[in-house]
Structures are given as structure tokens and as C-alpha cells.
Amino acid sequence: MNPVQETVLLYYPKKPKYLPKIKSIFVQLGIQFRILDAASTAQKIGYLTGRTGFEKSTSDVPFSKIPQSVLVMDHFSGVRMDVLFSYLKKAGIPSIDLKAIVTDTNADWTFFALYQEIAKEHARMHARRAIVTRIEESDFGCEGRPDGVIAMDHVYLRYEQESEEFCLMAEDEQLYADHIDENSTVLVTADGKILPL
């Protein structure tokens, strides 16, 4: 791959029926592209986009399946990004869940590490602020918590500017690590995760 040419990395958890149409758009716009499988997610972004100085990793790092569609762009101007998204929209291609731009910093990350970072940012962008009203820790009785069981707490919250309380479950250890306690202001993601502000 030519390291100065626009390059797209595209990942889908399941191969979509409109993939040939997407490939046709990339070819029409003169964009190099790679359709990634789950095994590719353990490779560095720099290697996958063809940047110089990056070699294929031969380590036996286990790869993780990604549950969302991801589009990563390298060497794109803002105008060319708009052109690409316009073509995809006109072709009726459903919106891709997560998008990212390659930088000199994240080129050294694995595709999976980049996915984790943009998924976290995406969740924060779509989260709502809430106040923790109380936390009820798990009660394992006099016998204590069995080995291997994760302590889950009932976390009661209310969204800012609202009075209705709701409850979510969260790992006790994670709440402690994130310094989340009663009266803390937190973010609640669309899938019910509690994140520190």
C-alpha cells in the first residue's frame, strides 16, 4: 500500500449484504481499503493502513470480536471525508456505528485498542448526567462472598433536573476504583453503564 494515499479500514461483526456496494464506492473514489476480519483486530493500525515502519505482528495475542461496525480513515481531508459519507448515504448504506481518524499516536495501537477508545468516547457523548442517590451493596450473609463471584451493587440514581429514581447494577470494585459514591455526579450510557464524570 502507498502510505500517502487515502486508506479506509472497515470492520463489520457480520458481513453485510451491501458490502459489494461499499467496495464499489471506494474504487470509484480511488480510496484504498481493507475489509477486516476478527483476526485483524490484534494488528497495529499503522500496519493495517500500510504506513511505513510497521510490520505484521506474529505474536499469538488473542483477538477479540468487536460487536459494532467500525470505519477508520487515514490521510483524509475534511472535504474528502464529507465526499465519502455523502456517497455512502446516497447509496443507502446504513450509518457505521463508530468512526475514527488515524493519527501518529493511534497508528501504534492495535485495531482493538482503537475500537475500545472510540467506543468509550461514543458512549460518553451519548450518556446522560445523573446523581447517585444511594448505593446498596450485595449481602452475602455470614458465609461471605463465594470465590469467583463478583460483588454487584444496586446503584440508585436520578437524572439531573428530574426527580424520578431508577436503579442500575454495577460492580462494587469498579465503583470504588472510579470513586463513585452517594451524591456523585456520573454519566449513564444508553446501555446502562455508569461512568465517572
Side-chain angles (χ1 to χ4, degrees), residues 33-194:
F33 64 92
R34 256 181 117 158
I35 310 299
L36 304 181
D37 58 12
S40 303
T41 64
Q43 295 294 330
K44 288 188 176 183
I45 295 292
Y47 163 72
L48 294 171
T49 57
R51 287 188 170 210
T52 54
F54 289 92
E55 301 295 325
K56 183 175 184 176
S57 170
T58 55
S59 67
D60 292 333
V61 178
F63 58 85
S64 303
K65 255 193 142 179
I66 295 173
Q68 295 171 286
S69 56
V70 182
L71 175 83
V72 176
M73 296 162 284
D74 196 13
H75 295 102
F76 271 76
S77 67
V79 171
R80 285 290 284 172
M81 275 190 258
D82 290 343
V83 168
L84 173 59
F85 295 140
S86 170
Y87 270 69
L88 292 171
K89 188 175 180 180
K90 280 180 192 169
I93 307 298
S95 182
I96 293 163
D97 297 323
L98 301 171
K99 301 171 190 79
I101 298 167
V102 180
T103 65
D104 289 339
T105 302
N106 65 24
D108 200 40
W109 298 0
T110 64
F111 188 88
F112 186 72
L114 179 62
Y115 157 72
Q116 288 180 305
E117 188 61 30
I118 58 177
K120 198 186 305 176
E121 287 174 18
H122 187 265
R124 282 186 169 282
M125 281 178 9
H126 295 85
R128 290 182 64 188
R129 288 169 66 108
I131 297 162
V132 178
T133 55
R134 69 184 194 277
I135 298 174
E136 292 179 2
E137 296 180 356
S138 302
D139 183 4
F140 292 102
C142 58
E143 294 181 12
R145 179 166 42 116
D147 290 341
V149 173
I150 296 170
M152 299 295 288
D153 297 343
H154 288 84
V155 182
Y156 293 86
L157 310 106
R158 67 174 176 75
Y159 289 121
E160 287 188 335
Q161 316 304 324
E162 294 181 21
S163 58
E164 191 174 327
E165 198 175 61
F166 61 98
C167 180
L168 295 172
M169 298 296 289
E171 287 184 30
D172 182 73
E173 196 173 292
Q174 191 62 52
L175 292 172
Y176 182 78
D178 290 338
H179 307 289
I180 295 173
D181 208 342
E182 291 182 5
N183 299 316
S184 294
T185 301
V186 296
L187 293 173
V188 177
T189 65
D191 60 352
K193 289 191 177 73
I194 301 169

